Amino acid sequence: MKIFVWLNPVSIAMYGGDYLTAQLKECGLEPVECRQDHISAVRKKYNQIVNRTSRCVADMRCPLAVDYVKKQYAPNFLEYPTIEPILLHCARELQQRLEGQGQLIVTTPCRSIKDLGTNLHLPNVEFLTFLELAQRYHITLQKKELQASPIPPGFFAELGDRVIILDSREKIDDYFSAPVPQNAHLLLEMLYCEEGCHHGDGVLEGAE
Ligand code: SF4
């Protein structure tokens, strides 16, 4: 049976290249790519929610940040839209396109998105962190030092200055520990890992 593998953009930026592709192919894995622009689609969904509600909208792209905020602070002024992370949009596209052709491995930058994806129970799809994929197939990694995440903080910049960027757990703590005027902000961009997913525990060895 064919095994397809989708590498998320963060893993590609950190470890991608001919060296990695050759190893994947040697292991019998066939790299696949998305054809649809899920980044724009997700942005559009947030724009629609922001235009429809008077409440402050929570960024749902980072499940770890959302879970942390709900558990630690349980704010009563946030709206949590049912918009899946971009990576899950990619997984759904590939699952539908490759249906009946084999198995699909979808790599994630962290355990948190892996768990979210796994809980979808998409047929013939397995979610693994990138480091788990490398470990399973004994892939030797060549890591590049990134100055920024391929999907850096500022995803919602077009919504203007009423968007707050909380791109670390510390910034999330600072924001929710201070008195927050209700409806002061349109949207909270929230990323648990400092400056984004290139510090996720599924791509960065030793990350918590
Ligand atoms: S890698 Fe970090 S910032 Fe990105 S989704 Fe996962 S927990 Fe959130």
Side-chain angles (χ1 to χ4, degrees):
M1 171 159 316
K2 243 180 185 169
I3 306 179
F4 301 97
V5 62
W6 180 76
L7 302 178
N8 63 77
V10 179
S11 304
I12 291 175
M14 292 176 78
Y15 299 100
D18 293 344
Y19 182 67
L20 176 63
T21 306
Q23 289 186 81
L24 294 171
K25 288 184 175 168
E26 269 173 32
C27 296
L29 301 173
E30 187 170 324
V32 283
E33 294 179 8
C34 286
R35 294 177 185 160
Q36 297 170 23
D37 180 0
H38 297 293
I39 291 180
S40 298
V42 166
R43 226 184 235 121
K44 195 170 163 193
K45 288 181 184 179
Y46 279 97
N47 289 353
Q48 286 169 345
I49 292 280
V50 164
N51 289 330
R52 211 166 58 209
T53 183
S54 56
R55 305 181 78 203
C56 180
V57 175
D59 175 10
M60 305 298 284
R61 294 172 307 147
C62 173
L64 192 56
V66 173
D67 288 349
Y68 180 74
V69 165
K70 283 182 177 174
K71 196 169 159 200
Q72 292 291 321
Y73 299 102
N76 61 6
F77 63 90
L78 276 186
E79 175 156 337
Y80 300 97
T82 54
I83 304 173
E84 291 181 332
I86 299 164
L87 190 147
L88 299 192
H89 286 69
C90 297
R92 287 186 187 278
E93 179 205 319
L94 291 169
Q95 189 272 326
Q96 284 169 18
R97 202 171 86 216
L98 300 171
E99 196 165 15
Q101 298 180 49
Q103 299 281 334
L104 169 66
I105 296 174
V106 173
T107 67
T108 72
C110 61
R111 284 175 290 187
S112 174
I113 295 193
K114 173 197 165 178
D115 292 345
L116 200 66
T118 301
N119 287 334
L120 295 177
H121 302 293
L122 295 178
N124 298 316
V125 178
E126 182 180 19
F127 288 84
L128 291 177
T129 71
F130 177 77
L131 292 178
E132 286 173 339
L133 175 88
Q135 193 177 29
R136 179 184 291 181
Y137 289 95
H138 307 289
I139 289 168
T140 308
L141 297 176
Q142 288 185 346
K143 181 167 167 289
K144 300 165 207 159
E145 291 304 327
L146 295 191
Q147 298 307 313
S149 166
I151 306 178
F155 186 78
F156 303 100
E158 68 183 43
L159 290 173
D161 58 8
R162 285 182 65 212
V163 172
I164 297 291
I165 299 175
L166 307 173
D167 56 344
S168 69
R169 197 188 79 187
E170 286 69 27
K171 289 182 188 172
I172 291 171
D173 285 334
D174 288 348
Y175 181 85
F176 285 100
S177 299
V180 181
Q182 297 212 357
N183 298 329
H185 301 123
L186 276 184
L187 183 146
L188 297 188
E189 177 168 352
M190 299 190 290
L191 299 169
Y192 191 91
C193 302
E194 189 166 0
E195 296 178 357
C197 299
H198 59 315
H199 289 136
D201 61 12
V203 283
L204 193 63
E205 282 164 309
E208 288 181 14

